[in-house]
Amino acid sequence: MRHSGDVQHKVIEGTYRVLGEAERTLAAPQDWSTLKLNRDERDILADAGHVLRFGDGEGETTTPIKAEQLLVPRRHDDGADDLWTVWNVVQENAVKGGLRGIGLDDLGRPRRMKSRAVNGIDQDIKLNKALWLIGEKMAALKGAR
């Protein structure tokens, strides 16, 4: 925030904006956990997360990591099919990396690879904001408040 002009008004306005966002964010786990996703809806979340994480500027992906790998839970308790759990599994797999695939090297030979974690703050924020928006839209489609 720039420190010139009516700073006090801008700070107060910004504070209310943050509080409004916090209320929505804090309500999401409770609201989203009541929304069950079918297989197609889970696949849509995974496909979107896959393109966000591995896609180029045109949305094309060339990684041997498959979208369905984003749906594989890392913990037994994350096996539920509600929006909150599925969203968290996709988000964790997209951000933390460690997903394995077999691609081809420059000579066309099979080569094992593993996705890297997202470490850059700009990429992390961009990815998480986009995933959050997808979660909100899915919740709206499923009839959440």
Side-chain angles (χ1 to χ4, degrees):
M1 181 175 296
R2 191 169 173 165
H3 295 268
S4 64
D6 187 7
V7 175
Q8 184 178 4
H9 176 72
K10 290 177 183 176
V11 168
I12 291 170
E13 191 177 292
T15 302
Y16 279 113
R17 187 169 150 222
V18 168
L19 288 173
E21 292 293 320
E23 286 178 19
R24 275 188 24 238
T25 303
L26 292 172
Q30 184 177 2
D31 295 344
W32 293 9
S33 64
T34 63
L35 304 172
K36 299 297 179 199
L37 300 181
N38 63 38
R39 184 76 212 165
D40 290 338
E41 292 164 336
R42 292 191 300 268
D43 288 344
I44 288 168
L45 279 177
D47 288 342
H50 188 256
V51 171
L52 286 169
R53 174 62 177 90
F54 300 108
D56 61 16
E58 285 79 42
E60 298 295 322
T61 57
T62 58
T63 179
I65 306 296
K66 305 295 180 212
E68 55 267 15
Q69 289 177 266
L70 295 176
L71 293 171
V72 177
R74 294 173 185 242
R75 287 170 294 286
H76 177 70
D77 292 344
D78 288 340
D81 62 357
D82 61 89
L83 176 57
W84 180 248
T85 303
V86 173
W87 183 88
N88 273 284
V89 168
V90 169
Q91 187 267 354
E92 182 178 28
N93 282 323
V95 171
K96 285 196 174 178
L99 302 176
R100 297 179 184 275
I102 297 178
L104 299 176
D105 67 10
D106 294 338
L107 300 174
R109 297 177 300 201
R111 188 182 110 213
R112 293 181 199 186
M113 61 98 39
K114 185 168 78 168
S115 65
R116 294 181 180 175
V118 174
N119 291 321
I121 192 131
D122 290 342
Q123 186 183 12
D124 184 86
I125 290 170
K126 184 178 177 182
L127 178 60
N128 277 297
K129 276 186 173 184
L131 287 170
W132 186 262
L133 178 63
I134 292 165
E136 285 185 322
K137 297 295 184 184
M138 182 67 76
L141 285 172
K142 298 291 285 181
R145 58 178 164 130

